[in-house]
Amino acid sequence: MAHAALRLQNLFEQLLGAPLRVRIRAWDGSEAGPPGAPALVVRNRRALRRLLFKPGELGLARAWVAGDVDVDGDLYTVLESMAGLVWERGEDARGLTEALRDPEVRAAVRGLVRLAGPPLPPAPPPEEIRRARGHLHTKRSDRRAISHHYDVGNDFYELVLGPSMVYSCAYWPALPAEGGTLEDAQRDKLELVSRKLGLSPGQRLLDVGCGWGSMAIHAAREHGVSVVGVTLSQEQAVYARKRVADEGLTDRVEIRVQDYRDVSDGPYDAISSIGMAEHVGAERYLEYATDLHRLLKPGGRLLNHQIARRPQRDESAYHVDEFIDAYVFPDGELAPVGTTVTQLERAGFEVRDVEAIREHYALTLRRWVANLEAEWTAALELVSPGRARVWRLYMAASALAFERNRIGVNQVLAVRTPDSGASGMPLRARVWGAPDPA
């Protein structure tokens, strides 16, 4: 008699400590859960073995990437229902270790073991990064991590990101952004950064982690500055250089494959670092901030656009998200915004403004997910099914994390203020780029 779905439902509800709001559909044809709700589809017993050998987030992520589990219906609803079991477990939530002290849960797990079949751990999907020995955040390890994430094909990123080719939080005019397009919101973000930096013709801008060149092109075309953009991704650099040439900006924009630690041709009038600092790592962050301070002229401005996590009661207990680390951003680390501000100040910067734009990233991510889902067949012609599934899962889960204030994103404007104390900032800081009153 078909029964796998009911067993799975009971186990998940015991681990969550609450009823599931989704259906479970199992390989044996059984279903359990609320009628008409989106379904978590468990395609085979191998999915259970993945969960048993790697309980929690990574095991379920491996099953998703391999196609052993799927979703029929709204992905966001399923993720929210399962969040307490896998990757968004709060500090006070019921954890796996605590749940296993319950005799009923232990009995359910024993039943799951019998249901899973022979106890052999499945190999991880090929999309999971293979770890090299050695220290994190060396120049070599950073190049490898960046390549894993960004060198998956420019055509794939065009499909997800759209014409703007900006892979960071857009800046929407309102919530909800009815009538606004992703391209308009990304253009507004680039213009916001430009105005915060006070860009004007003849200045030099360093764009750290320049991606596919969008910020460099916008700054040169709209504000008349000369730009050096640096990236560790060969594919990004090739794409960005072609865009620069197509725009007729080769005399004002240089794209380099270069580590920011190797940039030595300062001083620059301004530096933009948009969605790059998450790759730096806690141990290297002061070095990062000090290097950027060194590359700025006195009075020069830094705009650091960076994802932040919520602080923990015990910061030593922080660990990198397993799924993100294994499949998306290897070696990436998030820090609370207060820690980022402190490190920038320790490097010598005067922090002048912090703008939180958390809700904007949720809107951006939902549009990226919609782009991917609308072009799913085309995506599978560009990357492996597992890679496409990685991107769909991480973007949807991240959208929910931003909406629930589990993570945020902030633009921190800092100045290399000279000894005279003349920061060059307007008296009304949010009137970006406006001249001082006469």
Side-chain angles (χ1 to χ4, degrees):
M1 181 171 129
H3 60 279
L6 185 59
R7 287 195 183 186
L8 291 172
Q9 180 193 27
N10 290 337
L11 175 63
F12 289 153
E13 289 184 345
Q14 286 171 318
L15 289 174
L16 288 166
L20 275 179
R21 294 185 292 114
V22 300
R23 290 185 67 74
I24 302 293
R25 185 180 304 155
W27 65 90
D28 61 355
S30 62
E31 292 194 29
L40 177 68
V41 182
V42 184
R43 295 192 182 281
N44 51 53
R45 298 173 187 269
R46 185 170 57 247
L48 307 186
R49 293 197 290 274
R50 292 189 188 280
L51 287 170
L52 289 167
F53 280 95
K54 199 68 178 177
E57 174 182 347
L58 189 56
L60 191 56
R62 285 174 172 173
W64 169 268
V65 175
D68 298 330
V69 299
D70 205 347
V71 166
D72 183 6
D74 183 64
L75 176 60
Y76 297 100
T77 300
V78 175
L79 288 176
E80 284 193 289
S81 181
M82 304 297 290
L85 178 65
V86 285
W87 51 78
E88 294 294 350
R89 189 186 301 121
E91 289 182 88
D92 296 324
R94 189 185 193 201
L96 181 63
T97 301
E98 179 185 348
L100 289 174
R101 296 192 184 104
D102 187 327
E104 292 184 4
V105 174
R106 290 200 303 272
V109 171
R110 286 193 294 270
L112 188 61
V113 170
R114 290 191 295 271
L115 192 61
L120 296 174
E127 290 78 12
E128 185 170 316
I129 192 170
R130 301 300 187 261
R131 294 293 181 186
R133 294 182 179 180
H135 296 289
L136 296 181
H137 301 297
T138 64
K139 293 177 183 178
R140 181 178 180 180
S141 68
D142 281 354
R143 281 195 303 272
R144 184 170 180 265
I146 292 298
S147 178
H148 174 87
H149 185 80
Y150 293 102
D151 292 342
V152 298
N154 293 327
D155 290 343
F156 177 75
Y157 276 106
E158 281 184 335
L159 185 151
V160 174
L161 304 180
S164 66
M165 287 300 283
V166 180
Y167 194 24
S168 55
C169 175
Y171 196 67
W172 300 88
L175 293 173
E178 296 179 357
T181 68
L182 176 61
E183 287 66 43
D184 289 342
Q186 290 291 15
R187 181 201 61 226
D188 289 349
K189 189 271 297 296
L190 299 177
E191 181 59 20
L192 177 67
V193 171
S194 298
R195 287 188 285 118
K196 287 183 176 182
L197 290 172
L199 298 181
S200 61
Q203 290 184 329
R204 296 182 74 214
L205 168 69
L206 174 64
D207 187 27
V208 180
C210 66
W212 292 273
S214 299
M215 178 63 199
I217 290 170
H218 181 90
R221 184 182 60 213
E222 304 298 330
H223 297 273
V225 300
S226 297
V227 188
V228 171
V230 296
T231 176
L232 294 179
S233 168
Q234 293 282 352
E235 289 193 23
Q236 282 186 334
V238 170
Y239 189 97
R241 287 166 184 157
K242 184 179 186 304
R243 292 181 73 194
V244 169
D246 290 345
E247 291 278 349
L249 293 171
T250 54
D251 60 330
R252 276 187 280 163
V253 178
E254 178 188 0
I255 303 295
R256 303 174 184 168
V257 178
Q258 186 177 35
D259 193 291
Y260 72 91
R261 288 165 282 195
D262 294 330
V263 177
S264 59
D265 59 346
Y268 289 87
D269 298 281
I271 297 177
S272 54
S273 179
I274 305 172
M276 178 271 175
E278 298 88 340
H279 297 288
V280 170
E283 292 185 3
R284 296 280 189 179
Y285 203 92
L286 182 58
E287 177 187 356
Y288 158 81
T290 301
D291 281 345
L292 299 192
H293 186 270
R294 168 183 57 83
L295 287 166
L296 275 174
K297 73 173 189 180
R301 299 181 189 179
L302 164 69
L303 192 286
N304 189 76
H305 176 119
Q306 182 177 342
I307 298 171
R309 62 176 171 85
R310 303 295 297 165
Q312 297 186 349
R313 294 188 187 94
D314 177 10
E315 277 294 308
S316 66
Y318 168 70
H319 61 86
V320 177
D321 181 286
E322 286 186 303
F323 165 61
I324 299 293
D325 190 47
Y327 287 97
V328 187
F329 291 107
D331 305 337
E333 296 179 53
L334 300 182
V337 63
T339 301
T340 296
V341 168
T342 296
Q343 294 290 63
L344 291 172
E345 290 182 329
R346 288 181 63 197
F349 282 106
E350 179 188 6
V351 172
R352 297 296 303 237
D353 187 81
V354 179
E355 182 176 6
I357 54 175
R358 172 176 59 82
E359 294 88 350
H360 294 257
Y361 218 157
L363 290 169
T364 304
L365 284 155
R366 280 184 176 264
R367 279 151 181 81
W368 289 343
V369 172
N371 286 346
L372 178 57
E373 291 178 341
E375 298 291 343
W376 188 253
T377 300
L380 297 183
E381 295 176 355
L382 299 172
V383 297
S384 69
R387 181 64 60 196
R389 291 169 68 83
V390 166
W391 256 244
R392 185 182 177 213
L393 176 61
Y394 111 78
M395 291 190 299
S398 296
L400 292 173
F402 281 107
E403 288 169 358
R404 301 297 181 265
N405 191 28
R406 295 172 184 137
I407 53 177
V409 61
N410 306 279
Q411 289 192 348
V412 180
L413 180 65
V415 180
R416 181 178 174 174
T417 304
D419 293 340
S420 67
S423 69
M425 292 289 298
L427 291 178
R428 295 184 178 185
R430 288 293 173 95
V431 187
W432 303 119
D436 291 332

